[in-house]
Amino acid sequence: MKVLKRTVQGLSFLAIFIGVVVLTGTLKGENGYYYGQYFFDALLIIVMSVALYEMICATKAGGYSPQVIPLCIILVLSYPTVKLFDIFLGNGYHGIFTLLIVSILLLFLFYVFDSKVTFNNFMVSLFLFFYPILPLTIAFQIINQFGMIPLLLALGAAMMADAFAYYFGSLIKGPKIFPKISPNKTYSGFIMGLVGGAVGAIIVYAMFELAPIPLNRIVVFSEKYNPWIFYPIIGIVLGLIGEIGDLIASRIKRCMEIKDFGKILGSHGGIIDRLDSLLFTVVFMAVFMSFTSFG
């Protein structure tokens, strides 16, 4: 019953997500600008806000007091910083670098001038900038510079890796990988997660390159690579990175002594419980794109 409920909820969230993704290519102006992209951007901003709130609550549950005010300021600055730098300076990571410098400086200033902020709480605040604010801001950069396909590849591979690891791991069972960190993860689930990453990548290719589904397309991988080689290989890599990200999130929850980061998604937990692997695959795709001929 729990698996069925989790599956129905997951499919419902996926349907909403795909609907918003399709809007990015449906609402297009005569000048070629994808106005529908703002709907996806708005959804991502909401996700960032909830994710930061969950992480603040999680660290407070662990006995820390993160610097809420500077973190909220950074959150507000993240989207316009990336967007404005992209408009005025063109493609590149200028906005990300600027946000990185400003954010670290801002956190330092609040630490220096607020005697109530301990060093541990400053470090926790710095951690919350890198997890989850910065990776989700990088997602905006990927969209601005490369379109939706690279981001969807990072999301699709990670989501399918997580789904395969969960369902096949529950079905096959077997020896545990890291029982002290995540007692439910098995070697069978880990291996099937890699397969899921490849499947997820191929699904992204089938839906958004082969099928004529409206989308904000800038980079199309099949124009330069053999898709039946490229997508499975990068899907496996992304699946591996996603599973590492999931283990990191499990480690954080163990340290904070919480089961889930939130309850907003019902049996799926909180936003961070679903983003844990995606935060790392998005960063990987940003690095990967910067070293390819598309960068």
Side-chain angles (χ1 to χ4, degrees):
M1 187 65 183
K2 180 182 177 182
V3 173
L4 178 61
K5 182 179 179 181
R6 182 185 175 100
T7 302
V8 171
Q9 287 180 336
L11 291 175
S12 301
F13 297 141
L14 182 62
I16 295 171
F17 176 77
I18 291 176
V20 177
V21 167
V22 170
L23 279 178
T24 66
T26 303
L27 303 178
K28 187 177 180 181
E30 295 180 359
N31 59 355
Y33 189 80
Y34 291 97
Y35 292 102
Q37 186 64 57
Y38 287 115
F39 287 94
F40 186 88
D41 292 353
L43 176 63
L44 190 50
I45 290 170
I46 293 171
V47 168
M48 286 178 67
S49 303
V50 176
L52 178 60
Y53 172 75
E54 288 179 350
M55 287 303 298
I56 289 173
C57 291
T59 51
K60 284 186 175 180
Y64 299 97
S65 297
Q67 299 165 270
V68 175
I69 293 177
L71 287 171
C72 289
I73 293 173
I74 293 168
L75 179 69
V76 171
L77 290 176
S78 58
Y79 180 72
T81 300
V82 171
K83 206 71 177 175
L84 289 174
F85 271 82
D86 182 66
I87 292 172
F88 292 109
L89 295 180
N91 292 337
Y93 291 91
H94 310 90
I96 296 295
F97 290 142
T98 302
L99 181 69
L100 176 65
I101 294 168
V102 170
S103 300
I104 294 175
L105 179 61
L106 189 63
L107 289 169
F108 264 113
L109 287 174
F110 271 78
Y111 170 61
V112 170
F113 292 106
D114 188 348
S115 59
K116 296 179 181 178
V117 178
T118 65
F119 180 74
N120 285 344
N121 289 331
F122 163 71
M123 293 303 295
V124 166
S125 304
L126 193 60
F127 172 75
L128 294 188
F129 167 66
F130 286 100
Y131 190 105
I133 296 176
L134 186 60
L136 293 175
T137 306
I138 289 174
F140 288 123
Q141 179 61 46
I142 292 176
I143 295 169
N144 290 340
Q145 191 168 351
F146 306 109
M148 288 293 295
I149 291 178
L151 179 63
L152 291 175
L153 178 56
L155 301 182
M159 289 169 63
M160 287 302 294
D162 184 58
F164 269 54
Y166 174 76
Y167 288 110
F168 285 100
S170 301
L171 179 65
I172 302 172
K173 300 186 186 304
K176 310 290 185 180
I177 298 181
F178 298 110
K180 291 184 178 180
I181 298 177
S182 185
N184 296 323
K185 287 182 171 53
T186 61
Y187 283 98
S188 61
F190 172 77
I191 293 171
M192 292 307 299
L194 300 181
V195 176
V199 171
I202 292 172
I203 289 174
V204 169
Y205 167 63
M207 289 183 64
F208 301 108
E209 290 198 20
L210 284 180
I213 295 177
L215 188 71
N216 174 4
R217 290 185 180 90
I218 297 176
V219 165
V220 178
F221 290 112
S222 59
E223 293 179 352
K224 293 198 174 186
Y225 305 120
N226 182 329
W228 300 110
I229 297 176
F230 172 78
Y231 275 98
I233 290 176
I234 198 168
I236 291 172
V237 174
L238 289 167
L240 174 62
I241 293 171
E243 294 198 75
I244 293 172
D246 190 47
L247 285 172
I248 291 172
S250 296
R251 174 65 170 149
I252 294 170
K253 286 187 281 188
R254 289 287 176 273
C255 290
M256 301 302 153
E257 297 183 349
I258 56 176
K259 183 179 182 295
D260 293 313
F261 285 107
K263 299 180 179 178
I264 193 171
L265 300 181
S267 62
H268 288 263
I271 290 289
I272 290 290
D273 292 291
R274 299 277 58 82
L275 289 180
D276 48 16
S277 57
L278 309 182
L279 295 177
F280 290 87
T281 57
V282 166
V283 174
F284 172 82
M285 280 307 299
V287 174
F288 173 79
M289 295 304 294
S290 68
F291 282 98
T292 64
S293 56
F294 298 110

